[in-house]
Amino acid sequence: MNKLDILTMGIRNLWRRKLRTLLTLLGVVIGASAIVIMISLSIGIEVATRKQLESYGDLNNIEVWSGHGEQGEVHLTEEIYEKLEELEGIEAITPIISTYVTFMSGKYELSDRVIGIKPEAFPVLGLELDQGRLLTADDEMGVIFNKNSLLRFEKPSRDGSVGGGRMHFYRGYFGPRNEEEEEEPPVDVLTTKLRLMVGNRSSDDSSRPKIYKAEAVGILTNDRSSQFSYRNIMHLDTVKRLRQEYDRMHDRASSKEVQYEQVFIRAKNVDSAQKLCEEIEEMGLGCHSMSAYLKRMEENTRTIRMILGGIGVISMLVAALMIANTMVMSIYERTKEIGIMKVLGAALGDIGQLFLVESALIGLIGGVFGIAASYGISELMNTFMGSGLFGNQLPEGAAISVIPFWLILLAIGFTSIVGLVSGLYPSVKAMRISALEAIRTE
Amino acid sequence: MSKPIIIVNDVSKVFLMGKERVLALKRVSIEFYRGRIYCIVGTSGSGKSTLLNLLAGLEKPTRGNIVYFGKENIVKMGERKLAKFRRENIGFVFQSYNLLNQLTAWENVSMPLIFKGYSKRMRRRAAKVMLHKVGLGDRAQHLPTQMSGGQQQRTSIARAFVSRPKIVFADEPTGNLDTKTSIEVMELVTGMARKLGQTLIIVTHDRDTASYADTVITMRDGIILDITDKAEVENE
Ligand SMILES: Nc1ncnc2c1ncn2[C@@H]1O[C@H](COP(=O)(O)OP(=O)(O)OP(=O)(O)O)[C@@H](O)[C@H]1O
Ligand SMILES: [Mg+2]
């Protein structure tokens, strides 16, 4: 028999018993939408969880500090850093070291902390520039300023100290974040000549600090897109040198070896972030990553997701039994028909396929309508139930039911397979019917 | 004489009814030749239908062999091979027509062609030609329930012949019909078989029907009592 005939015969047979087909279809529709809705709810939980965590910080980012291991304290030395660099799953890694410098731009001065970062790591830090550009490997004396620091450039008072009058510290952190109120910095550092020196002018050292030529290359935007948004940034090697000079000035020569304050890692994905953090903690270092919370939150929602999935699977199982029942009934009704076809020389396989195609069709059509129904239900739930379903765990406005495209394919594939499998036994039964006995039945 | 198309060799059939054994056929041997029309007559319960079903491969004998074309022993065939064999070589006419009630006349006629994988266009054409030949050219779109018994039997005859089988079996094709219709149906079925040189084996109750045959086989209590070859008689 050719496949098209099998299909059209299947459709005709389903059409012949409209009511029964409809009722069975309804069962599959309910089963399919139950499974889709339940999975969509658990995806909704996951998506909302992720969103919430991402609002706290990028899930792929890892911060590493020195910590306490089994062999006592572990510091972020160059040696340890090299070990970190060799770990799997890292997209970018940079040590962070900071020192205290005074910038001089025209008549204005700013004493502030500056951090050093490897220029290669810049593209993945999530920094957003308001003006200028990022540092490159050659920008040995390039500086990227943040907006708040620029506001604190001041003319030094007569005694040489800076920042005596107004309290400008932490402006923007606590001050009103009103765009219209935004102040203009007193000096345009990008076009003015910039110099810097280690430490603070007011520190009445006998040794006059060396003054370096520097260049402002960029200004960061004023939002909190990254944890580096409120830092002044320079080349790692430069800051390392300045730090050594600072330590010498303040007689802290005891620590000859450079130690980093922190190591920043960007993992390739959330999973490797979690794994990296575990490995780093095993080294005796301190590690912080939002991905750890993700894991914990996913564990917390696992039970509820399993219950949801279970409900879906059970409804689909019931639908499968309905299909099988319908097909078995249909075979009893059509025993004579099967007998006649056998006497006329129908191949056994064709007879089996005739029934299989019917049950698979029920599965497929039921799946399609089930998905349509799930979309409607999902829409209704998102509109009317809000995010209150799982306690107030989820952020405001998050969808509680999310149906991704793969779920649609999965549902249709699943119902079709369920249809096929539940038609398997009936169709084998049909194939086994004895032709002679069958044509004798009335 | 040419080689026989079917050789039935020492065939017995035992039915088990609980503990009781019914010996429906007792060591029957007979040969059938190409292009001839056979009638099997005999009292009720003599084993006519049983023999026909064994010949058509619808049932297995308890012992013995049934060999087609001098080489194909259908007793040894599995179900799948038998289905293929029937599809390619055998047509069947039943006493109770056995049409599919949800299909129209032409669709019923085209059933054997569906199983052979013919396209719908070819099936429809062949079926309509056959319906025309059995005098139902104008009933192609009718359902079996919309036709008389005689018309239904003609439809089933059209179905039996549509794929040009080498052998056509008919188990009491006129059993449900009145005398006049019976004659029409017998003339139709024998006429068709003769035209294409097909072998026709008919089981029947009444002796009148037997007059259409070249060979009349008489059975009683599961054995063949007599084989009368009319053509031979005429030739002498
Ligand atoms: N499926 C069966 N199970 C048990 N016994 C059977 C079966 N089929 C036939 N028989 C028995 O085999 C014997 C022959 O039956 P068969 O149907 O061949 O007779 P028949 O010559 O066709 O009779 P009729 O002219 O009444 O149709 C009978 O005694 C019958 O009871
Ligand atoms: Mg009989």
Side-chain angles (χ1 to χ4, degrees):
Chain A
M1 256 177 108
N2 72 53
K3 302 289 168 215
L4 188 68
D5 287 325
I6 290 177
L7 187 67
T8 42
M9 268 173 104
I11 292 170
R12 276 178 79 161
N13 282 326
L14 288 176
W15 190 247
R16 233 162 86 198
R17 296 169 180 80
K18 287 179 209 58
L19 184 63
R20 194 170 66 193
T21 303
L22 201 72
L23 289 174
T24 314
L25 265 179
L26 204 62
V28 180
V29 169
I30 291 170
S33 37
I35 219 167
V36 170
I37 286 294
M38 294 304 153
I39 293 177
S40 84
L41 284 177
S42 74
I43 294 171
I45 294 174
E46 209 182 308
V47 169
T49 308
R50 248 166 215 253
K51 257 192 203 146
Q52 190 177 25
L53 283 175
E54 271 163 5
S55 71
Y56 299 149
D58 199 309
L59 292 177
N60 291 3
N61 291 353
I62 300 171
E63 291 164 43
V64 184
W65 296 291
S66 52
H68 291 276
E70 279 164 20
Q71 288 99 28
E73 252 181 280
V74 184
H75 292 289
L76 288 171
T77 57
E78 188 64 37
E79 189 191 337
I80 290 285
Y81 175 72
E82 274 162 17
K83 272 192 197 158
L84 288 174
E85 263 184 325
E86 274 159 30
L87 294 175
E88 292 282 321
I90 293 176
E91 191 186 334
I93 180 167
T94 177
I96 294 171
I97 193 166
S98 76
T99 192
Y100 199 67
V101 297
T102 300
F103 294 104
M104 289 157 283
S105 178
K107 287 175 188 151
Y108 295 87
E109 290 189 4
L110 166 71
S111 293
D112 204 352
R113 197 158 271 282
V114 62
I115 63 166
I117 286 176
K118 272 195 173 172
E120 305 91 84
F122 265 107
V124 297
L125 295 183
L127 292 173
E128 280 179 33
L129 284 172
D130 187 50
Q131 296 171 59
R133 60 176 171 84
L134 290 173
L135 287 177
T136 67
D138 302 328
D139 283 321
E140 216 177 300
M141 292 310 288
V143 188
I144 294 177
F145 285 102
N146 72 75
K147 273 202 167 162
N148 294 290
S149 293
L150 288 181
L151 293 176
R152 302 205 318 269
F153 264 99
E154 285 188 342
K155 279 187 187 161
S157 51
R158 221 159 276 150
D159 63 351
S161 70
V162 192
R166 287 152 61 193
M167 282 296 290
H168 262 303
F169 290 94
Y170 302 117
R171 181 200 299 271
Y173 261 105
F174 303 110
R177 304 198 58 188
N178 198 332
E179 297 295 319
E180 291 152 40
E181 230 181 85
E182 202 168 282
E183 287 174 59
E184 279 296 310
V187 60
D188 183 3
V189 286
L190 289 178
T191 53
T192 318
K193 223 189 246 170
L194 185 75
R195 287 164 302 152
L196 68 81
M197 64 179 190
V198 172
N200 195 328
R201 199 187 279 282
S202 65
S203 51
D204 42 8
D205 295 304
S206 47
S207 56
R208 297 295 299 166
K210 205 174 151 193
I211 291 179
Y212 297 92
K213 264 190 196 162
E215 184 196 3
V217 299
I219 298 172
L220 297 170
T221 51
N222 205 359
D223 61 18
R224 301 177 65 182
S225 58
S226 156
Q227 65 201 100
F228 300 100
S229 294
Y230 293 97
R231 309 291 196 111
N232 304 309
I233 305 167
M234 289 185 74
H235 197 296
L236 177 72
D237 297 341
T238 313
V239 177
K240 239 196 243 176
R241 263 193 290 114
L242 295 174
R243 171 63 177 270
Q244 277 167 336
E245 193 181 326
Y246 184 87
D247 285 351
R248 261 200 313 279
M249 268 166 59
H250 292 79
D251 203 26
R252 278 193 240 161
S254 53
S255 57
K256 277 166 212 142
E257 200 184 2
V258 210
Q259 273 179 24
Y260 299 121
E261 284 147 34
Q262 200 186 332
V263 171
F264 177 84
I265 300 174
R266 183 164 173 90
K268 283 186 176 136
N269 52 49
V270 182
D271 290 337
S272 39
Q274 281 173 4
K275 240 182 72 209
L276 278 167
C277 230
E278 279 163 21
E279 286 168 2
I280 289 166
E281 271 166 1
E282 268 167 34
M283 289 166 71
L285 292 161
C287 185
H288 173 79
S289 162
M290 278 295 165
S291 63
Y293 293 105
L294 180 70
K295 200 174 173 186
R296 213 168 304 151
M297 284 177 90
E298 274 174 355
E299 271 164 15
N300 287 344
T301 54
R302 180 175 297 155
T303 329
I304 195 164
R305 284 176 19 220
M306 270 163 64
I307 293 171
L308 292 176
I311 295 172
V313 166
I314 288 170
S315 359
M316 202 57 225
L317 210 67
V318 172
L321 289 176
M322 274 183 78
I323 299 180
N325 183 47
T326 304
M327 294 315 294
V328 171
M329 297 261 299
S330 160
I331 281 159
Y332 281 133
E333 272 173 23
R334 284 152 67 185
T335 302
K336 185 167 182 142
E337 189 182 322
I338 295 165
I340 295 169
M341 293 198 291
K342 280 195 161 182
V343 172
L344 296 181
L348 282 186
D350 288 348
I351 289 174
Q353 280 176 34
L354 268 176
F355 287 89
L356 267 191
V357 85
E358 278 183 45
S359 61
L361 272 173
I362 292 178
L364 179 71
I365 299 170
V368 170
F369 281 101
I371 280 161
S374 330
Y375 260 110
I377 296 168
S378 168
E379 198 61 35
L380 284 176
M381 291 207 316
N382 287 339
T383 316
F384 293 112
M385 289 170 82
S387 47
L389 188 60
F390 302 106
N392 288 321
Q393 279 183 31
L394 304 182
E396 199 61 34
I400 55 172
S401 158
V402 177
I403 304 179
F405 186 65
W406 62 261
L407 184 55
I408 296 171
L409 295 185
L410 187 90
I412 293 184
F414 185 61
T415 54
S416 305
I417 287 169
V418 164
L420 264 177
V421 170
S422 27
L424 223 50
Y425 167 72
S427 75
V428 168
K429 209 173 148 65
M431 280 161 53
R432 290 218 180 111
I433 285 175
S434 144
L436 255 193
E437 280 168 34
I439 54 171
R440 283 197 193 115
T441 58
E442 271 315 315
Chain B
M1 216 170 189
S2 62
K3 276 188 180 171
I5 192 168
I6 314 172
I7 300 170
V8 178
N9 185 17
D10 201 16
V11 161
S12 296
K13 179 69 187 178
V14 179
F15 289 108
L16 289 170
M17 300 276 289
K19 279 183 182 158
E20 207 182 324
R21 287 157 56 91
V22 180
L23 200 51
L25 286 181
K26 298 168 192 164
R27 310 193 66 156
V28 170
S29 291
I30 185 174
E31 292 172 352
F32 296 91
Y33 291 88
R34 185 183 303 279
R36 294 181 70 85
I37 293 172
Y38 295 86
C39 261
I40 306 176
V41 295
T43 49
S44 184
S46 58
K48 307 183 293 289
S49 297
T50 305
L51 178 60
L52 201 72
N53 292 337
L54 293 181
L55 285 172
L58 297 176
E59 223 162 8
K60 293 271 184 216
T62 312
R63 57 170 288 176
N65 291 309
I66 299 167
V67 179
Y68 274 75
F69 318 126
K71 55 182 190 289
E72 296 191 67
N73 187 351
I74 62 165
V75 175
K76 298 266 157 65
M77 283 186 191
E79 248 211 281
R80 279 164 206 280
K81 262 187 110 176
L82 263 176
K84 186 166 184 280
F85 182 80
R86 274 204 296 277
R87 186 157 71 236
E88 286 168 356
N89 301 299
I90 290 174
F92 226 102
V93 180
F94 305 89
Q95 177 176 356
S96 51
Y97 327 132
N98 279 333
L99 300 173
L100 298 185
N101 283 327
Q102 77 274 16
L103 300 183
T104 61
W106 84 261
E107 285 169 331
N108 263 296
V109 172
S110 73
M111 282 298 274
L113 302 181
I114 292 188
F115 300 138
K116 280 184 151 183
Y118 282 39
S119 74
K120 191 166 179 176
R121 248 184 64 237
M122 284 171 74
R123 286 191 326 245
R124 197 201 306 260
R125 193 183 316 139
K128 294 226 166 134
V129 168
M130 278 318 287
L131 279 173
H132 205 78
K133 279 187 190 164
V134 299
L136 292 172
D138 53 343
R139 298 291 158 99
Q141 298 299 337
H142 286 224
L143 291 172
T145 47
Q146 298 163 337
M147 293 190 286
S148 73
Q151 288 167 337
Q152 286 187 57
Q153 194 59 303
R154 286 160 191 247
T155 309
S156 97
I157 289 166
R159 180 178 66 184
F161 282 92
V162 74
S163 59
R164 310 227 163 152
K166 296 187 182 74
I167 306 117
V168 175
F169 295 100
D171 194 350
E172 305 200 32
T174 59
N176 291 358
L177 305 173
D178 61 40
T179 321
K180 185 173 160 282
T181 321
S182 293
I183 292 167
E184 282 170 20
V185 163
M186 281 311 290
E187 302 215 310
L188 182 66
V189 81
T190 51
M192 282 184 126
R194 288 219 194 282
K195 204 177 278 174
L196 288 170
Q198 285 152 311
T199 310
L200 181 63
I201 302 174
I202 305 171
V203 165
T204 181
H205 242 45
D206 80 291
R207 289 265 161 196
D208 292 343
T209 315
S211 60
Y212 290 94
D214 302 323
T215 305
V216 178
I217 301 157
T218 313
M219 292 187 70
R220 189 196 291 163
D221 296 334
I223 56 167
I224 291 171
L225 266 191
D226 177 57
I227 302 174
T228 311
D229 245 329
K230 282 204 308 200
E232 275 172 26
V233 175
E234 279 163 22
N235 286 349
E236 281 166 17

